[in-house]
Amino acid sequence: MQNAKICIYSEEGSVLIISLLIMVLLTVIGLSVSRTTDIDIQIAKNDQFYKTAFYNADSGVYVTPKLISSCIDSGAEQNVSGITYLGPTGTFYREIMGYDAHDSANDIRFSLGGFAVDVDVHRTGQQSLVGGGVEFASGAEGIGVGSAGGVAIFYDMDSQGNGPNSSLSEVEASYRKVVGVPGGL
């Protein structure tokens, strides 16, 4: 009989190796979750920056019609606290009345929360409205006296709002001013 070699494999330490593999796996999963959380936080911040810029631009769409209405009703540019006319004195009024041609430069600027809002106004036309004295070629008589008949002036507005971290948003809108009817939007 030949000498048989007996090999005994020791399983001591295998638990240690398996434990280390599980620890490495859990570490990788933890790092992945941490990285995903960081990315989600950055996405939320960027979304907040965009929304701030959008709301600032949107406010330009609501402020500008009130300014246009005030200027038309008074017959001149109005000095409103916080609003800056970006052209020489009187050019905003001349442009919204149709006396001067539209230029592509922004017309007004104001600030919200430390961020600038710039608005360019473009007068696109006017139209006589039915239902008032204009319809009957008279000044005040006729059906609809005191109604919304008269002249409507149409404007396109391009409002650009800035926000944190150099975010920028642009909102375009149209506005119809009915002469003799108070208010903006």
Side-chain angles (χ1 to χ4, degrees):
M1 194 185 256
Q2 295 181 344
N3 289 340
K5 287 188 177 181
I6 300 176
C7 293
I8 300 176
Y9 294 101
S10 172
E11 293 184 12
E12 294 176 19
S14 63
V15 172
L16 180 62
I17 293 174
I18 292 172
S19 298
L20 285 174
L21 288 175
I22 290 174
M23 291 295 286
V24 167
L25 180 65
L26 290 174
T27 302
V28 168
I29 291 172
L31 290 173
S32 174
V33 167
S34 175
R35 180 70 180 143
T36 301
T37 302
D38 289 344
I39 291 171
D40 287 346
I41 288 171
Q42 188 61 41
I43 289 171
K45 284 181 184 177
N46 287 340
D47 187 52
Q48 181 183 14
F49 297 158
Y50 165 76
K51 285 181 179 176
T52 299
F54 172 76
Y55 293 140
N56 287 345
D58 193 44
S59 69
V61 171
Y62 285 93
V63 167
T64 305
K66 294 178 185 315
L67 183 62
I68 291 171
S69 185
S70 177
C71 289
I72 289 175
D73 292 343
S74 69
E77 283 183 3
Q78 297 296 298
N79 291 326
V80 178
S81 177
I83 294 181
T84 304
Y85 295 102
L86 298 177
T89 302
T91 57
F92 177 74
Y93 178 75
R94 293 186 58 76
E95 192 174 326
I96 64 170
M97 291 303 293
Y99 302 146
D100 293 342
H102 173 257
D103 58 6
S104 59
N106 291 328
D107 297 312
I108 63 171
R109 173 178 288 157
F110 59 94
S111 179
L112 286 175
F115 301 109
V117 177
D118 293 336
V119 183
D120 179 35
V121 179
H122 178 208
R123 180 182 169 137
T124 57
Q126 67 185 37
Q127 175 183 14
S128 295
L129 300 175
V130 297
V134 171
E135 179 181 8
F136 300 100
S138 64
E141 316 76 35
I143 196 167
V145 170
S147 70
V151 176
I153 306 171
F154 298 94
Y155 299 95
D156 285 339
M157 298 174 292
D158 182 17
S159 179
Q160 297 175 345
N162 294 301
N165 208 22
S166 300
S167 57
L168 179 68
S169 186
E170 188 170 340
V171 175
E172 294 179 0
S174 295
Y175 169 62
R176 178 183 79 165
K177 166 64 178 160
V178 178
V179 178
V181 176
L185 284 176

